[in-house]
């Protein structure tokens, strides 16, 4: 896992001292993503930068990496992520005459493009199983390719310029170049205030994400996008026993692939079905005793208050799974003071790079990863199981399912009329924006095939599953990547294996919920690995601190902000309406505070 960045300018030689300083500045922003090594490559219109977190072939995987022909570089690669099937690809390429100087997966990707991607880059990237974001410069064609994994596990941004493009793993790498403007317009603010993934809108005006499953081609002729992967319906004909068995086979293979590392590895264990099954499989296939880590708060279990999203505390289930499976387990216990620490909140915002926040959930995850990094460099996590197997309550509540909108967008999360300036509310028109984005997403949903295609509920659940995987999951993957890489911790997500996603996505909803519960297939496929109490446990969300001291400290800071009319966020707010949030909506309070910090710390110019 690493950080990448670069600059292409077809009207300029980037070998001069000023351009080299710009590239050095861009590369330096990625230092925490890659604390082990640094490298740059510059030739004519192309300048590539790389920061490395060494995971595989620690001694031999330095980047940028070149593929030489007659002593001249033909392809130059900066790469972040992991290609889990690199050993098989290496053997195939060696059989075709390729020779390797390292044992890294990066070199395999480079040779894959030489062999299978010289006519169409999709031929190479479709061979890869993994999580990745990379840039490859063809010195002969004078062409840059930006490539992102199928589900968007690893981030990659780009910013078109007059004569080329800037790119980076995070916006901060692009913003370190003087050509990038720090402007948030009305569209950027709409994106900041709404919780769904939109790769076309990266908050900063003119900046975009490379879409998951896409390639961006940059040449003198301009910038073009092409898809190399998308969700589709190939038809599902397996009966229930065969389906359960196939899910287990895919999980077994995926976990084994993702245990490969030349550094210490662990799992994130919450005591829920997803993380417990993943940890049990890791323990089964690992040659060493697996380390596991869990999050806890001071007094959380003893004073736990059940809620609609979190019915039971994690602690007792974590301990039961650890004992049952035999992990070497550690709890990371946090306090309200730690979560409200100004340095922690600043570090969390800097890691996120964007004004999105889940409040103490973000801060606690950042601190959890920071603590884990003292013991391990790679962690396995359970993201995507809920989106893939139908774990959230909104998959199963008819009111959410049948609502003609993003199914997770109920409640007061989008109720901005109360606290935004009335003129701004009218200008942004968030209901219209949300509806447009929702309709756009629905238009992408692949049609059902087979007998289920005549069932209206099956058709709607296909839409809900698609929305979950393409508009909800990317937010969680981005959060996980940013907050883990802020401490140089690589987090792998086995449930995002594209083979598993492709298979489960096509399964009819009736079969996914054959026993009338959430995540029926995953439970059936892994029940023999786990204690019965964990198998039967109802879905419980990521824990939020319940200590009232935290809310008190948060409201105190929010009150001070509302009293400061020079605050960067002040022109956006209705002060009287915002004061009402103090007793009504702590999530919106967190959001406004994050927006204030973002505007200030990144020196953003508002153009709304």
């Amino acid at each position: 896992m690493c950080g990448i960045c670069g600059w292409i300018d077809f009207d300029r030689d980037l070998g001069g001292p000023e351009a080299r300083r710009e590239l050095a500045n861009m590369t330096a922003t990625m230092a925490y993503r890659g604390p082990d090594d640094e490298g740059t490559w510059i030739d004519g219109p192309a300048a590539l930068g790389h920061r490395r977190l060494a995971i595989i072939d620690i001694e031999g995987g330095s980047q940028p990496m070149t593929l030489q022909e007659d002593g001249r570089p033909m392809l130059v690669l900066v790469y972040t992520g992991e290609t889990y099937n690199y050993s098989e690809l290496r053997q195939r390429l060696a059989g075709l005459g390729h020779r390797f100087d390292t044992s890294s997966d990066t070199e395999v990707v480079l040779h894959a493009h030489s062999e299978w991607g010289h006519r169409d880059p999709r031929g190479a990237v479709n061979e890869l199983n993994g999580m990745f974001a990379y840039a490859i410069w063809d010195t002969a064609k004078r062409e840059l390719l930006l490539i992102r994994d199928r589900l968007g596990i690893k981030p990659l941004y780009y910013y078109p310029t007059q004569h080329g493009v800037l790119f980076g793993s995070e916006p901060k790498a692009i913003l370190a170049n003087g050509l990038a403007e720090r402007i948030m317009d009305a569209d950027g603010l709409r994106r900041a205030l709404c919780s769904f993934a939109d790769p076309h809108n990266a908050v900063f005006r003119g900046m975009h994400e490379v879409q998951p499953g896409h390639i961006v081609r940059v040449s003198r002729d301009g910038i073009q996008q092409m898809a190399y992967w998308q969700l589709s319906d190939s038809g599902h004909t397996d009966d229930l026993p065969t389906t359960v068995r196939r899910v287990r086979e895919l999980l077994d293979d995926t976990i084994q692939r993702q245990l490969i590392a030349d550094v210490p590895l662990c799992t994130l264990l919450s005591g829920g079905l997803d993380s417990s099954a993943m940890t049990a499989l890791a323990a089964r296939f690992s040659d060493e005793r697996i380390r596991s880590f869990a999050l806890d708060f001071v007094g959380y279990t003893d004073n736990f208050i059940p809620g609609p999203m979190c019915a039971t505390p994690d602690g007792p289930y974590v301990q039961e799974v650890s004992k049952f499976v035999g992990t070497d387990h550690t709890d990371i216990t946090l306090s309200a003071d730690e979560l409200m620490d100004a340095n922690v909140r600043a570090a969390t915002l800097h890691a996120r790079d964007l004004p999105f926040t889940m409040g103490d959930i973000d801060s606690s995850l950042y601190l959890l990863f920071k603590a884990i990094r003292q013991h391990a460099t790679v962690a396995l996590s359970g993201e995507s199981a809920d989106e893939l197997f139908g774990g959230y309550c909104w998959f199963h509540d008819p009111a959410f399912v049948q609502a003609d909108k993003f199914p997770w967008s109920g409640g007061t999360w989008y109720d901005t009329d109360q606290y935004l300036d009335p003129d701004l509310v009218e200008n942004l028109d968030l209901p219209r924006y949300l509806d447009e984005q929702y309709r756009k997403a629905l238009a992408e949903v692949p049609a059902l095939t087979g007998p289920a295609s005549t069932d209206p509920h099956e058709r709607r659940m296909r839409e809900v599953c698609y929305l979950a995987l393409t508009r909800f999951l990317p937010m969680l993957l981005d959060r996980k990547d940013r907050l883990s890489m802020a401490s140089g911790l690589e987090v792998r997500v086995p449930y995002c294996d594209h083979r598993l996603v492709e298979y489960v996505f096509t399964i009819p909803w009736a079969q996914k919920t054959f026993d009338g519960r959430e995540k029926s297939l995953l439970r059936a496929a892994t029940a023999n690995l786990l204690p019965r109490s964990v198998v039967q446990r109802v879905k419980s969300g990521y824990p939020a601190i319940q200590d009232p001291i935290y809310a008190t400290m948060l409201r105190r800071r929010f009150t001070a902000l509302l009293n400061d009319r020079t605050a960067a966020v002040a022109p956006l707010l209705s002060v009287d309406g915002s004061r009402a949030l103090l007793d009504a909506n702590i999530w919106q309070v967190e959001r406004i505070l994050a927006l204030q910090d973002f505007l200030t710390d990144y020196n953003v110019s508002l153009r709304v």
Side-chain angles (χ1 to χ4, degrees), residues 174-195:
I174 293 171
L175 296 173
N177 189 298
L179 294 177
E181 297 181 317
R182 299 170 180 249
I183 294 174
M184 179 194 286
D185 59 14
D187 274 342
L189 185 56
R190 291 184 184 103
R191 174 75 178 89
L193 293 172
C194 297
S195 293

Side-chain angles (χ1 to χ4, degrees), residues 294-317:
L295 172 69
D296 200 1
F297 301 107
V298 174
Y300 185 78
T301 300
D302 294 339
N303 302 298
F304 180 77
I305 302 173
M309 302 298 292
C310 199
T312 53
D314 289 343
Y317 296 95

Side-chain angles (χ1 to χ4, degrees), residues 21-94:
R21 281 193 299 270
E22 294 272 26
L23 180 64
N25 291 337
M26 295 171 70
T27 307
T29 67
M30 300 288 96
Y32 60 79
R33 294 185 71 93
D36 297 328
D37 196 10
E38 175 183 11
T40 59
W41 184 91
I42 300 174
D43 184 40
L48 309 181
H50 187 267
R51 293 289 313 205
R52 186 184 184 210
L53 175 64
I55 302 294
I56 295 173
D57 190 7
I58 294 172
E59 298 299 325
S62 294
Q63 299 184 49
M65 189 175 287
T66 62
L67 187 63
Q68 305 277 334
E69 185 175 298
D70 298 327
R72 296 172 56 84
M74 299 304 295
L75 298 176
V76 189
L77 174 68
V78 284
Y79 172 92
T80 176
E82 303 293 343
T83 298
Y84 301 121
N85 63 333
Y86 79 97
S87 293
E88 300 100 295
L89 294 179
R90 182 188 177 98
Q91 290 180 357
R92 287 173 56 195
L93 289 164

Side-chain angles (χ1 to χ4, degrees), residues 79-372:
Y79 172 92
T80 176
E82 303 293 343
T83 298
Y84 301 121
N85 63 333
Y86 79 97
S87 293
E88 300 100 295
L89 294 179
R90 182 188 177 98
Q91 290 180 357
R92 287 173 56 195
L93 289 164
L96 294 169
H98 291 257
R99 298 294 176 261
F100 296 88
D101 297 319
T102 76
S103 57
S104 70
D105 59 338
T106 303
E107 190 178 14
V108 171
V109 173
L110 192 59
H111 282 264
H113 272 274
S114 172
E115 180 64 37
W116 299 308
H118 58 283
R119 291 189 178 89
D120 186 337
R122 290 172 291 193
V125 70
N126 278 322
E127 296 285 346
L128 309 182
N129 176 304
M131 57 176 189
F132 46 79
Y134 60 94
I136 189 163
W137 171 251
D138 189 313
T139 62
K141 294 180 181 179
R142 296 217 158 188
E143 175 181 276
L144 179 77
L145 300 176
L146 300 173
I147 300 173
R148 193 175 181 196
D149 65 63
R150 296 167 179 86
L151 291 176
I153 304 169
K154 303 310 297 177
L156 185 56
Y157 292 81
Y158 68 100
Y159 185 100
T161 64
Q162 183 178 1
H163 301 297
V165 73
L166 305 170
F167 70 88
S169 292
E170 298 179 1
K172 63 173 64 70
I174 293 171
L175 296 173
N177 189 298
L179 294 177
E181 297 181 317
R182 299 170 180 249
I183 294 174
M184 179 194 286
D185 59 14
D187 274 342
L189 185 56
R190 291 184 184 103
R191 174 75 178 89
L193 293 172
C194 297
S195 293
F196 62 88
D198 178 11
H200 301 287
N201 184 345
V203 174
F204 294 100
R205 189 174 70 182
M207 190 182 297
H208 312 277
E209 292 182 55
V210 177
Q211 295 183 65
H214 278 67
I215 299 169
V216 173
R217 188 196 304 267
V218 182
S219 69
R220 275 195 176 274
D221 295 329
I223 297 177
Q224 299 173 319
Q225 298 185 55
M226 68 177 83
Y228 69 86
W229 183 86
Q230 56 191 2
L231 288 166
S232 62
D233 190 336
S234 56
H236 186 79
T237 58
D238 293 343
D239 61 16
L240 181 59
T242 304
T243 299
V244 171
R245 184 168 61 251
R246 180 57 179 157
V247 168
R248 176 59 179 273
E249 290 170 352
L250 287 167
L251 285 172
D252 285 354
D253 183 69
T254 297
I255 296 294
Q256 290 180 77
R257 289 177 182 273
Q258 298 197 20
L259 288 174
I260 297 173
D262 295 334
V263 292
L265 179 146
C266 68
T267 68
L268 306 180
L269 177 61
S270 70
L273 178 63
D274 317 338
S275 68
S276 299
M278 177 193 71
T279 298
L281 287 170
R284 170 171 291 197
F285 295 121
S286 176
D287 294 331
E288 302 176 351
R289 188 183 182 194
I290 284 288
R291 293 206 66 167
S292 59
F293 291 86
L295 172 69
D296 200 1
F297 301 107
V298 174
Y300 185 78
T301 300
D302 294 339
N303 302 298
F304 180 77
I305 302 173
M309 302 298 292
C310 199
T312 53
D314 289 343
Y317 296 95
V318 167
Q319 298 304 320
E320 188 173 5
V321 172
S322 175
K323 183 177 179 180
F324 189 88
V325 172
T327 69
D328 178 6
H329 183 75
T330 302
D331 286 327
I332 306 299
T333 304
L334 305 175
S335 68
D337 286 339
E338 289 175 289
L339 296 179
M340 279 301 295
D341 182 278
N343 292 328
V344 170
R345 294 178 72 85
T348 302
L349 175 69
H350 186 71
R352 292 298 306 264
D353 232 7
L354 299 168
F356 310 143
T357 183
M358 299 180 75
D360 67 283
I361 291 178
D362 279 2
S363 300
S364 65
L365 192 61
Y366 167 79
L367 290 171
L368 173 67
F369 289 146
K370 185 177 181 181
I372 290 174

